[in-house]
């Protein structure tokens, strides 16, 4: 009987490819939706092809490593006895798409200055950013973050749900007056993995979605209750909106500014939708979760004064420029208004 092999995506990169680019390449190679590719990618090590002959295994390995994705070829009997319970299995039709995809298509897909590939024998580099797994989305988001030995993770006070016993916690004051004025907790907990890698499970207070962004010396502004956690390279501070924007937005005088290099997690009330803004875009102030630096915004009425008082819409934020906006599918103010009519009322009798 001929020897067969399994191909396993290791969760390591060859070269300096960005993690977000690696996920995009992975999605295109296997013809997967980007969100599905994201989920698979964070389950690495992951078996992407089972029981193939040596020639096919080498061919798939070359394609993956040319894309900057490190993989291993293992004899079937080794993987099945030692690793099969630890990795996921991708569906067969997605992997067979590799054989049908022409060399020219792969070359066009990989011909980007932002994606640097190297010789397969060159030592691999870890993904930029921390490994993590999301669960409970979009209703009750929960994230488990793997913290390398000696590294530190900043987490919003009271958001930690679980942690390994080797994790050491320190509480520090962040944001000062700004966070106090917003009504947020002025303390942030710092979790450091002592001696070995550890895990921290994080559960935000609001029932809703969680979103992750890797910042590469970039800035994101968040509504005052949206921050959940970040890696040590991200600085989180309060930013004054100004009296006009703050008072009339109906939200807060302060935004949270997250900037630097590393991982950032933020949450919402309801699900999160990411929107690319290329010119102008209007969002109700109660549905904004965050937006990227470079977008200008103004708080205005959605219509005339009659609309302002009787339409139920109120004030909106008009974004202009080029960037991203994250919105939540529910508004806490709208929910309170809906629930108000169902509150128990004592009779006056």
């Amino acid at each position: 009987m001929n020897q067969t092999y399994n191909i396993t995506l290791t969760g390591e990169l060859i070269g300096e490819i960005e993690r977000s680019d690696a996920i995009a390449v992975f999605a295109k190679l296997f013809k997967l939706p980007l969100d599905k590719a994201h989920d698979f990618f964070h389950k690495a090590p992951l078996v992407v092809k089972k029981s193939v002959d040596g020639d096919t295994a080498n061919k798939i390995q070359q394609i993956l490593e040319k894309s900057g994705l490190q993989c291993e070829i293992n004899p079937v009997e080794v993987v099945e006895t030692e690793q099969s319970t630890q990795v996921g299995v991708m569906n067969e039709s997605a992997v067979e798409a590799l054989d049908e995809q022409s060399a020219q298509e792969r070359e066009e897909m990989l011909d980007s200055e932002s994606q640097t590939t190297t010789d397969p024998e060159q030592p691999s580099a870890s993904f930029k950013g921390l490994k993590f797994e999301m669960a409970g989305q979009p209703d009750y988001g929960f994230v488990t973050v793997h913290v390398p030995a000696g590294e530190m993770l900043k987490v919003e006070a009271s958001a930690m749900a679980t942690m390994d016993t080797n994790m050491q916690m320190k509480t520090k004051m962040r944001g000062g007056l700004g966070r106090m004025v917003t009504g947020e907790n002025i303390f942030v907990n710092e979790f450091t993995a002592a001696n070995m890698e550890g895990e921290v499970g994080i559960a935000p207070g609001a029932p809703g979605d969680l979103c992750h962004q890797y910042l590469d010396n970039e800035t994101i502004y968040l509504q005052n209750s949206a921050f959940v956690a970040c890696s040590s390279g991200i600085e989180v501070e309060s930013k004054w909106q100004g009296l006009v924007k703050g008072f009339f937005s109906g939200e807060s005088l302060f935004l949270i500014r997250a900037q630097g290099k590393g991982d950032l997690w933020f949450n919402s009330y309801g699900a999160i939708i990411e929107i690319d803004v290329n010119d102008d875009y209007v969002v109700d102030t109660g549905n904004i979760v965050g937006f990227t630096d470079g977008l200008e915004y103004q708080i205005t009425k959605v219509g005339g004064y009659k609309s302002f008082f009787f339409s139920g819409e109120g004030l909106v934020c008009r974004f202009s420029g080029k960037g991203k906006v994250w919105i939540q599918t529910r508004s806490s103010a709208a929910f309170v208004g809906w629930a108000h009519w169902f509150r128990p009322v004592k009779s006056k009798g």
Side-chain angles (χ1 to χ4, degrees):
M1 181 177 179
N2 293 332
Q3 176 67 62
T4 57
Y5 302 87
N6 288 359
I7 297 99
T8 301
L9 191 72
T10 66
E12 301 293 323
L13 291 179
I14 298 172
E16 296 298 325
I17 187 172
E18 295 279 354
R19 183 172 64 176
S20 58
D21 293 334
I23 294 175
V25 170
F26 184 67
K28 290 181 180 179
L29 281 174
F30 290 91
K31 298 185 177 179
L32 293 169
L34 195 58
D35 58 343
K36 182 70 72 174
H38 185 280
D39 291 341
F40 276 130
F41 210 63
H42 287 292
K43 293 177 182 177
L46 177 80
V47 174
V48 295
K49 185 66 174 176
K50 299 181 78 174
S51 302
V52 297
D53 60 72
D55 289 341
T56 302
N58 288 328
K59 179 179 179 181
I60 295 175
Q61 184 183 43
Q62 289 173 8
I63 293 170
L64 290 172
E65 294 194 338
K66 182 181 178 183
S67 307
L69 309 173
Q70 188 189 70
C71 67
E72 294 178 350
I73 298 176
N74 303 106
V76 165
E77 61 269 22
V78 173
V79 174
E80 288 183 341
T81 57
E82 297 180 3
Q83 297 181 1
S84 60
T85 60
Q86 301 176 31
V87 299
V89 179
M90 196 172 285
N91 87 40
E92 295 290 317
S93 62
V95 180
E96 288 171 1
L98 288 172
D99 298 330
E100 300 170 1
Q101 190 176 32
S102 70
Q104 183 178 356
E105 286 177 320
R106 291 195 298 272
E107 185 174 346
E108 290 175 354
M109 181 188 67
L110 299 170
D111 184 18
S112 170
E113 293 181 359
S114 64
Q115 298 174 359
T116 305
T117 57
T118 62
D119 190 291
E121 296 181 0
Q122 179 176 334
S124 62
S126 298
F127 290 150
K128 293 185 177 182
L130 302 176
K131 288 188 177 182
F132 64 93
E133 292 89 37
M134 297 276 206
Q137 295 172 288
D139 300 318
Y140 299 98
F142 187 95
V143 59
T144 301
V145 183
H146 302 266
V147 185
E151 293 295 317
M152 182 264 288
L153 182 72
K154 303 173 189 177
V155 180
E156 181 74 350
S158 78
M160 187 278 293
T162 63
M163 69 176 185
D164 283 337
T165 55
N166 67 305
M167 299 302 298
Q168 298 178 349
M169 187 187 82
K170 289 184 179 180
T171 302
K172 292 191 175 181
M173 184 177 291
R174 297 286 180 181
L177 177 64
R179 288 174 66 84
M180 188 179 296
V181 171
T182 65
E184 291 297 291
N185 197 314
I186 64 172
F187 296 101
V188 172
N189 294 326
E190 296 183 351
F191 295 89
T192 302
N195 304 320
M196 58 185 291
E197 178 184 293
E199 293 183 357
V200 179
I202 304 169
D209 208 349
L210 266 172
C211 184
H212 168 266
Q213 290 292 307
Y214 182 83
L215 305 187
D216 191 359
N217 295 316
E218 298 165 306
T219 301
I220 287 180
Y221 293 97
L222 301 173
Q223 285 289 7
N224 59 5
S225 60
F227 172 73
V228 173
C230 66
S231 54
S232 58
I234 300 295
E235 290 297 325
V236 178
E237 58 188 357
S238 298
K239 179 183 180 296
W240 172 254
Q241 285 200 78
L243 289 173
V244 175
K245 288 181 178 178
F247 278 123
F248 291 99
S249 68
E251 299 303 315
S252 171
L253 296 176
F254 290 86
L255 292 172
I256 294 175
R257 178 168 58 195
Q259 59 184 353
K261 187 164 186 158
D263 300 275
L264 172 68
W265 290 269
F266 52 90
N267 74 310
S268 67
Y269 175 53
I272 293 177
I273 298 175
E274 180 181 300
I275 298 170
D276 289 313
V277 178
N278 293 313
D279 190 7
D280 296 303
Y281 203 76
V282 177
V283 182
D284 187 281
T285 56
N287 290 85
I288 301 169
V289 177
F291 55 92
T292 54
D293 190 24
L295 284 175
E296 297 293 331
Y297 67 101
Q298 291 183 337
I299 306 300
T300 63
K301 301 189 303 294
V302 71
Y305 283 102
K306 183 183 290 185
S307 297
F308 179 74
F309 286 108
F310 301 109
S311 70
E313 297 304 327
L315 297 164
V316 296
C317 187
R318 295 183 180 273
F319 289 99
S320 60
K322 186 177 179 62
K324 292 182 182 295
V325 175
W326 290 270
I327 67 170
Q328 58 190 19
T329 58
R330 295 292 183 268
S331 165
S332 55
F335 175 75
V336 169
W338 173 84
H340 171 77
W341 300 103
F342 298 91
R343 75 192 193 287
V345 179
K346 292 183 180 180
S347 67
K348 297 181 180 180

mmCIF file of all heavy atoms in Angstrom, residues 38-70:
data_model
loop_
_atom_site.group_PDB
_atom_site.id
_atom_site.type_symbol
_atom_site.label_atom_id
_atom_site.label_comp_id
_atom_site.label_asym_id
_atom_site.label_seq_id
_atom_site.Cartn_x
_atom_site.Cartn_y
_atom_site.Cartn_z
ATOM 1 N N HIS A 38 -10.907 33.485 8.123
ATOM 2 C CA HIS A 38 -10.415 34.031 9.394
ATOM 3 C C HIS A 38 -10.606 33.014 10.512
ATOM 4 O O HIS A 38 -9.698 32.764 11.316
ATOM 5 C CB HIS A 38 -11.165 35.322 9.707
ATOM 6 C CG HIS A 38 -10.674 36.045 10.913
ATOM 7 N ND1 HIS A 38 -11.035 35.673 12.192
ATOM 8 C CD2 HIS A 38 -9.838 37.099 11.051
ATOM 9 C CE1 HIS A 38 -10.447 36.475 13.064
ATOM 10 N NE2 HIS A 38 -9.722 37.355 12.401
ATOM 11 N N ASP A 39 -11.790 32.383 10.560
ATOM 12 C CA ASP A 39 -12.066 31.394 11.607
ATOM 13 C C ASP A 39 -11.140 30.190 11.481
ATOM 14 O O ASP A 39 -10.597 29.708 12.477
ATOM 15 C CB ASP A 39 -13.524 30.928 11.523
ATOM 16 C CG ASP A 39 -14.502 32.019 11.908
ATOM 17 O OD1 ASP A 39 -14.069 32.986 12.569
ATOM 18 O OD2 ASP A 39 -15.682 31.915 11.541
ATOM 19 N N PHE A 40 -10.970 29.679 10.245
ATOM 20 C CA PHE A 40 -10.092 28.533 10.032
ATOM 21 C C PHE A 40 -8.654 28.866 10.423
ATOM 22 O O PHE A 40 -7.960 28.075 11.043
ATOM 23 C CB PHE A 40 -10.132 28.096 8.563
ATOM 24 C CG PHE A 40 -11.275 27.176 8.226
ATOM 25 C CD1 PHE A 40 -12.092 27.432 7.141
ATOM 26 C CD2 PHE A 40 -11.530 26.061 8.990
ATOM 27 C CE1 PHE A 40 -13.141 26.588 6.829
ATOM 28 C CE2 PHE A 40 -12.585 25.214 8.695
ATOM 29 C CZ PHE A 40 -13.390 25.483 7.605
ATOM 30 N N PHE A 41 -8.220 30.057 10.015
ATOM 31 C CA PHE A 41 -6.828 30.439 10.187
ATOM 32 C C PHE A 41 -6.437 30.451 11.667
ATOM 33 O O PHE A 41 -5.322 30.066 12.024
ATOM 34 C CB PHE A 41 -6.625 31.833 9.582
ATOM 35 C CG PHE A 41 -5.243 32.061 9.047
ATOM 36 C CD1 PHE A 41 -4.758 31.297 8.001
ATOM 37 C CD2 PHE A 41 -4.434 33.034 9.583
ATOM 38 C CE1 PHE A 41 -3.493 31.506 7.496
ATOM 39 C CE2 PHE A 41 -3.161 33.252 9.090
ATOM 40 C CZ PHE A 41 -2.689 32.489 8.041
ATOM 41 N N HIS A 42 -7.346 30.875 12.516
ATOM 42 C CA HIS A 42 -7.038 30.969 13.940
ATOM 43 C C HIS A 42 -7.191 29.640 14.665
ATOM 44 O O HIS A 42 -6.992 29.568 15.876
ATOM 45 C CB HIS A 42 -7.893 32.049 14.600
ATOM 46 C CG HIS A 42 -7.461 33.426 14.232
ATOM 47 N ND1 HIS A 42 -6.262 33.961 14.647
ATOM 48 C CD2 HIS A 42 -8.031 34.371 13.449
ATOM 49 C CE1 HIS A 42 -6.126 35.175 14.162
ATOM 50 N NE2 HIS A 42 -7.172 35.450 13.429
ATOM 51 N N LYS A 43 -7.561 28.577 13.931
ATOM 52 C CA LYS A 43 -7.597 27.239 14.524
ATOM 53 C C LYS A 43 -6.300 26.476 14.248
ATOM 54 O O LYS A 43 -6.164 25.323 14.628
ATOM 55 C CB LYS A 43 -8.785 26.454 13.972
ATOM 56 C CG LYS A 43 -10.132 27.003 14.402
ATOM 57 C CD LYS A 43 -11.265 26.215 13.756
ATOM 58 C CE LYS A 43 -12.619 26.800 14.136
ATOM 59 N NZ LYS A 43 -13.737 26.093 13.466
ATOM 60 N N ALA A 44 -5.344 27.123 13.562
ATOM 61 C CA ALA A 44 -4.087 26.454 13.238
ATOM 62 C C ALA A 44 -3.398 25.995 14.529
ATOM 63 O O ALA A 44 -3.470 26.678 15.546
ATOM 64 C CB ALA A 44 -3.181 27.403 12.453
ATOM 65 N N PRO A 45 -2.710 24.794 14.465
ATOM 66 C CA PRO A 45 -2.469 23.976 13.281
ATOM 67 C C PRO A 45 -3.742 23.314 12.763
ATOM 68 O O PRO A 45 -4.550 22.850 13.547
ATOM 69 C CB PRO A 45 -1.451 22.942 13.768
ATOM 70 C CG PRO A 45 -1.673 22.877 15.237
ATOM 71 C CD PRO A 45 -2.063 24.251 15.668
ATOM 72 N N LEU A 46 -3.864 23.278 11.440
ATOM 73 C CA LEU A 46 -5.102 22.861 10.791
ATOM 74 C C LEU A 46 -4.801 21.960 9.600
ATOM 75 O O LEU A 46 -4.013 22.327 8.730
ATOM 76 C CB LEU A 46 -5.844 24.114 10.316
ATOM 77 C CG LEU A 46 -7.142 23.917 9.550
ATOM 78 C CD1 LEU A 46 -8.271 23.645 10.529
ATOM 79 C CD2 LEU A 46 -7.474 25.152 8.737
ATOM 80 N N VAL A 47 -5.405 20.767 9.567
ATOM 81 C CA VAL A 47 -5.252 19.871 8.425
ATOM 82 C C VAL A 47 -6.063 20.415 7.257
ATOM 83 O O VAL A 47 -7.277 20.586 7.366
ATOM 84 C CB VAL A 47 -5.706 18.439 8.770
ATOM 85 C CG1 VAL A 47 -5.692 17.552 7.527
ATOM 86 C CG2 VAL A 47 -4.828 17.837 9.855
ATOM 87 N N VAL A 48 -5.399 20.709 6.126
ATOM 88 C CA VAL A 48 -6.102 21.256 4.970
ATOM 89 C C VAL A 48 -6.285 20.229 3.865
ATOM 90 O O VAL A 48 -7.032 20.471 2.919
ATOM 91 C CB VAL A 48 -5.381 22.498 4.414
ATOM 92 C CG1 VAL A 48 -5.411 23.625 5.422
ATOM 93 C CG2 VAL A 48 -3.948 22.184 4.020
ATOM 94 N N LYS A 49 -5.595 19.104 3.965
ATOM 95 C CA LYS A 49 -5.784 18.036 2.991
ATOM 96 C C LYS A 49 -5.390 16.717 3.629
ATOM 97 O O LYS A 49 -4.325 16.604 4.236
ATOM 98 C CB LYS A 49 -4.931 18.293 1.747
ATOM 99 C CG LYS A 49 -5.145 17.287 0.619
ATOM 100 C CD LYS A 49 -6.533 17.386 0.031
ATOM 101 C CE LYS A 49 -6.688 16.469 -1.186
ATOM 102 N NZ LYS A 49 -8.058 16.494 -1.717
ATOM 103 N N LYS A 50 -6.253 15.706 3.498
ATOM 104 C CA LYS A 50 -5.994 14.416 4.115
ATOM 105 C C LYS A 50 -5.740 13.345 3.061
ATOM 106 O O LYS A 50 -6.345 13.345 1.987
ATOM 107 C CB LYS A 50 -7.187 13.990 4.988
ATOM 108 C CG LYS A 50 -7.501 14.938 6.135
ATOM 109 C CD LYS A 50 -8.660 14.466 6.981
ATOM 110 C CE LYS A 50 -8.242 13.363 7.927
ATOM 111 N NZ LYS A 50 -9.333 12.999 8.865
ATOM 112 N N SER A 51 -4.824 12.457 3.396
ATOM 113 C CA SER A 51 -4.593 11.217 2.645
ATOM 114 C C SER A 51 -4.324 11.447 1.161
ATOM 115 O O SER A 51 -5.069 10.965 0.298
ATOM 116 C CB SER A 51 -5.797 10.272 2.818
ATOM 117 O OG SER A 51 -6.008 9.990 4.176
ATOM 118 N N VAL A 52 -3.271 12.211 0.847
ATOM 119 C CA VAL A 52 -2.881 12.419 -0.547
ATOM 120 C C VAL A 52 -1.524 11.760 -0.788
ATOM 121 O O VAL A 52 -0.757 11.498 0.150
ATOM 122 C CB VAL A 52 -2.802 13.924 -0.885
ATOM 123 C CG1 VAL A 52 -4.160 14.574 -0.736
ATOM 124 C CG2 VAL A 52 -1.777 14.634 -0.022
ATOM 125 N N ASP A 53 -1.217 11.494 -2.056
ATOM 126 C CA ASP A 53 0.076 10.891 -2.377
ATOM 127 C C ASP A 53 1.181 11.933 -2.242
ATOM 128 O O ASP A 53 0.927 13.130 -2.111
ATOM 129 C CB ASP A 53 0.048 10.300 -3.787
ATOM 130 C CG ASP A 53 -0.252 11.350 -4.838
ATOM 131 O OD1 ASP A 53 0.621 12.195 -5.110
ATOM 132 O OD2 ASP A 53 -1.383 11.345 -5.377
ATOM 133 N N GLY A 54 2.419 11.465 -2.288
ATOM 134 C CA GLY A 54 3.563 12.341 -2.057
ATOM 135 C C GLY A 54 3.668 13.482 -3.051
ATOM 136 O O GLY A 54 3.972 14.616 -2.664
ATOM 137 N N ASP A 55 3.415 13.214 -4.344
ATOM 138 C CA ASP A 55 3.526 14.260 -5.363
ATOM 139 C C ASP A 55 2.500 15.371 -5.128
ATOM 140 O O ASP A 55 2.815 16.560 -5.222
ATOM 141 C CB ASP A 55 3.337 13.667 -6.763
ATOM 142 C CG ASP A 55 4.517 12.805 -7.181
ATOM 143 O OD1 ASP A 55 5.594 12.958 -6.565
ATOM 144 O OD2 ASP A 55 4.356 11.988 -8.102
ATOM 145 N N THR A 56 1.251 14.967 -4.817
ATOM 146 C CA THR A 56 0.208 15.960 -4.560
ATOM 147 C C THR A 56 0.520 16.765 -3.310
ATOM 148 O O THR A 56 0.329 17.989 -3.265
ATOM 149 C CB THR A 56 -1.157 15.267 -4.406
ATOM 150 O OG1 THR A 56 -1.451 14.519 -5.592
ATOM 151 C CG2 THR A 56 -2.263 16.288 -4.169
ATOM 152 N N ALA A 57 1.009 16.090 -2.281
ATOM 153 C CA ALA A 57 1.366 16.781 -1.038
ATOM 154 C C ALA A 57 2.443 17.827 -1.284
ATOM 155 O O ALA A 57 2.352 18.961 -0.796
ATOM 156 C CB ALA A 57 1.835 15.773 0.006
ATOM 157 N N ASN A 58 3.471 17.476 -2.061
ATOM 158 C CA ASN A 58 4.542 18.428 -2.361
ATOM 159 C C ASN A 58 4.022 19.607 -3.170
ATOM 160 O O ASN A 58 4.447 20.751 -2.961
ATOM 161 C CB ASN A 58 5.668 17.729 -3.127
ATOM 162 C CG ASN A 58 6.468 16.791 -2.234
ATOM 163 O OD1 ASN A 58 6.622 17.046 -1.048
ATOM 164 N ND2 ASN A 58 6.964 15.707 -2.803
ATOM 165 N N LYS A 59 3.102 19.331 -4.101
ATOM 166 C CA LYS A 59 2.547 20.399 -4.933
ATOM 167 C C LYS A 59 1.780 21.403 -4.083
ATOM 168 O O LYS A 59 1.951 22.628 -4.222
ATOM 169 C CB LYS A 59 1.627 19.788 -5.990
ATOM 170 C CG LYS A 59 0.978 20.821 -6.906
ATOM 171 C CD LYS A 59 0.102 20.126 -7.940
ATOM 172 C CE LYS A 59 -0.579 21.143 -8.848
ATOM 173 N NZ LYS A 59 -1.450 20.481 -9.850
ATOM 174 N N ILE A 60 0.937 20.910 -3.165
ATOM 175 C CA ILE A 60 0.158 21.798 -2.319
ATOM 176 C C ILE A 60 1.072 22.578 -1.379
ATOM 177 O O ILE A 60 0.882 23.772 -1.139
ATOM 178 C CB ILE A 60 -0.899 21.006 -1.529
ATOM 179 C CG1 ILE A 60 -1.928 20.393 -2.491
ATOM 180 C CG2 ILE A 60 -1.605 21.900 -0.506
ATOM 181 C CD1 ILE A 60 -2.947 19.507 -1.825
ATOM 182 N N GLN A 61 2.101 21.895 -0.863
ATOM 183 C CA GLN A 61 3.047 22.581 0.020
ATOM 184 C C GLN A 61 3.746 23.734 -0.703
ATOM 185 O O GLN A 61 3.916 24.820 -0.155
ATOM 186 C CB GLN A 61 4.080 21.599 0.560
ATOM 187 C CG GLN A 61 5.049 22.241 1.563
ATOM 188 C CD GLN A 61 6.107 21.282 2.043
ATOM 189 O OE1 GLN A 61 6.677 20.528 1.255
ATOM 190 N NE2 GLN A 61 6.379 21.289 3.349
ATOM 191 N N GLN A 62 4.144 23.502 -1.957
ATOM 192 C CA GLN A 62 4.815 24.558 -2.731
ATOM 193 C C GLN A 62 3.891 25.756 -2.936
ATOM 194 O O GLN A 62 4.315 26.918 -2.837
ATOM 195 C CB GLN A 62 5.279 24.009 -4.070
ATOM 196 C CG GLN A 62 6.454 23.045 -3.974
ATOM 197 C CD GLN A 62 6.790 22.392 -5.298
ATOM 198 O OE1 GLN A 62 6.241 22.765 -6.343
ATOM 199 N NE2 GLN A 62 7.687 21.418 -5.264
ATOM 200 N N ILE A 63 2.623 25.498 -3.212
ATOM 201 C CA ILE A 63 1.665 26.580 -3.435
ATOM 202 C C ILE A 63 1.494 27.404 -2.160
ATOM 203 O O ILE A 63 1.528 28.640 -2.169
ATOM 204 C CB ILE A 63 0.304 26.017 -3.896
ATOM 205 C CG1 ILE A 63 0.431 25.396 -5.281
ATOM 206 C CG2 ILE A 63 -0.765 27.118 -3.896
ATOM 207 C CD1 ILE A 63 -0.782 24.616 -5.721
ATOM 208 N N LEU A 64 1.316 26.711 -1.029
ATOM 209 C CA LEU A 64 1.111 27.405 0.233
ATOM 210 C C LEU A 64 2.343 28.204 0.642
ATOM 211 O O LEU A 64 2.237 29.364 1.065
ATOM 212 C CB LEU A 64 0.742 26.407 1.330
ATOM 213 C CG LEU A 64 -0.644 25.764 1.221
ATOM 214 C CD1 LEU A 64 -0.795 24.660 2.250
ATOM 215 C CD2 LEU A 64 -1.744 26.797 1.395
ATOM 216 N N GLU A 65 3.525 27.597 0.502
ATOM 217 C CA GLU A 65 4.732 28.282 0.942
ATOM 218 C C GLU A 65 5.116 29.417 0.000
ATOM 219 O O GLU A 65 5.712 30.405 0.418
ATOM 220 C CB GLU A 65 5.870 27.277 1.115
ATOM 221 C CG GLU A 65 5.581 26.304 2.258
ATOM 222 C CD GLU A 65 6.790 25.508 2.688
ATOM 223 O OE1 GLU A 65 7.738 25.375 1.889
ATOM 224 O OE2 GLU A 65 6.777 25.012 3.833
ATOM 225 N N LYS A 66 4.772 29.304 -1.282
ATOM 226 C CA LYS A 66 4.975 30.423 -2.192
ATOM 227 C C LYS A 66 4.092 31.600 -1.783
ATOM 228 O O LYS A 66 4.441 32.763 -1.991
ATOM 229 C CB LYS A 66 4.656 30.008 -3.630
ATOM 230 C CG LYS A 66 4.902 31.135 -4.641
ATOM 231 C CD LYS A 66 4.561 30.683 -6.046
ATOM 232 C CE LYS A 66 4.757 31.825 -7.039
ATOM 233 N NZ LYS A 66 4.375 31.439 -8.420
ATOM 234 N N SER A 67 2.966 31.290 -1.153
ATOM 235 C CA SER A 67 2.046 32.322 -0.678
ATOM 236 C C SER A 67 2.454 32.889 0.672
ATOM 237 O O SER A 67 1.797 33.783 1.184
ATOM 238 C CB SER A 67 0.628 31.743 -0.569
ATOM 239 O OG SER A 67 0.243 31.129 -1.777
ATOM 240 N N GLY A 68 3.510 32.336 1.269
ATOM 241 C CA GLY A 68 3.960 32.810 2.570
ATOM 242 C C GLY A 68 3.346 32.073 3.736
ATOM 243 O O GLY A 68 3.482 32.492 4.878
ATOM 244 N N LEU A 69 2.658 30.940 3.479
ATOM 245 C CA LEU A 69 1.986 30.178 4.522
ATOM 246 C C LEU A 69 2.751 28.885 4.772
ATOM 247 O O LEU A 69 2.822 28.022 3.899
ATOM 248 C CB LEU A 69 0.547 29.853 4.121
ATOM 249 C CG LEU A 69 -0.294 31.034 3.637
ATOM 250 C CD1 LEU A 69 -1.629 30.547 3.103
ATOM 251 C CD2 LEU A 69 -0.502 32.033 4.757
ATOM 252 N N GLN A 70 3.309 28.727 5.955
ATOM 253 C CA GLN A 70 4.087 27.524 6.248
ATOM 254 C C GLN A 70 3.172 26.333 6.493
ATOM 255 O O GLN A 70 2.124 26.457 7.119
ATOM 256 C CB GLN A 70 4.959 27.746 7.484
ATOM 257 C CG GLN A 70 5.931 26.597 7.732
ATOM 258 C CD GLN A 70 6.619 26.721 9.072
ATOM 259 O OE1 GLN A 70 5.997 26.557 10.104
ATOM 260 N NE2 GLN A 70 7.899 27.039 9.050
#
